[in-house]
Amino acid sequence: MSRGIWGNLVVHNESIADVNRAIESIFPACTPDPIIIIHDGSTKPLIDFLESRKSIYNLKIFYNKFVTVRGQRQCALDHTDVGNFVIALDGDEAYSQAVSKELRNCLLNQLSQKHYDTAREGNVPLVI
């Protein structure tokens, strides 16, 4: 199994601008892997926006009734293939361009094999 970088984004009552900024901040690090979006389905304009950007940003959108942020994050992890790094954000968070630029290289080329092996042995994703 090859190692990749998947995005996990939890969306709940954020603006389209905030969610777009979050997606664009992790897209360079995640490409070609998907960004998993967990949305509670409450905001129709945001749903329409995400649906229109699915192929542009390689989004996989899942709807899950919001109870807790923890539950939403677990839902995102449940849809993430094991053996990959995970960049987890809320819909109103974003990485700076400097971080985004270096993140992919750091995770795929500089993180120690020990961290990766430990995660695989525990059958858990690697999460930032």
Side-chain angles (χ1 to χ4, degrees), residues 63-84:
Y63 298 97
N64 191 49
K65 181 180 177 187
F66 184 88
V67 177
T68 64
V69 172
R70 179 182 179 189
Q72 297 299 81
R73 289 191 189 281
Q74 185 59 54
C75 183
L77 289 174
D78 291 344
H79 291 287
T80 303
D81 288 353
V82 173
N84 293 288

